[in-house]
Amino acid sequence: GKSRRQYMDALAGVMAEKDPAAAFEMMLASQSSPHYGGGPLNSIFSQWAENDPAAAVAKAAALKSPLRTVCS
């Protein structure tokens, strides 16, 4: 439900500060609705780009659409 999404969004944000790759994998593993294709992934990639731009670009380039569209 909505509270689970809010919890996952908040958790992803906290995780992304220290380990954006792990936060990304967690969001993909918990992807149960199109909701996860937006804000949380954008936040993760923003943090990832600050920490390790090359790794963030490589992961974004490897994504399949529609995630590539949402995350770029």
Side-chain angles (χ1 to χ4, degrees):
K2 185 176 181 178
S3 62
R4 181 177 187 276
R5 276 198 313 253
Q6 291 171 333
Y7 172 77
M8 294 301 292
D9 292 356
L11 180 59
V14 171
M15 285 181 68
E17 291 178 14
K18 295 189 183 223
D19 190 349
F24 175 79
E25 294 302 327
M26 181 203 62
M27 291 304 292
L28 286 185
S30 67
Q31 188 174 1
S32 59
S33 74
H35 168 77
Y36 291 113
L41 287 179
N42 288 337
S43 297
I44 290 168
F45 271 94
S46 292
Q47 186 65 46
W48 204 344
E50 287 183 29
N51 294 352
D52 187 350
V57 168
K59 180 55 101 174
L63 293 174
K64 296 179 184 175
S65 288
L67 280 178
R68 183 181 309 158
T69 303
V70 170
C71 296
S72 58

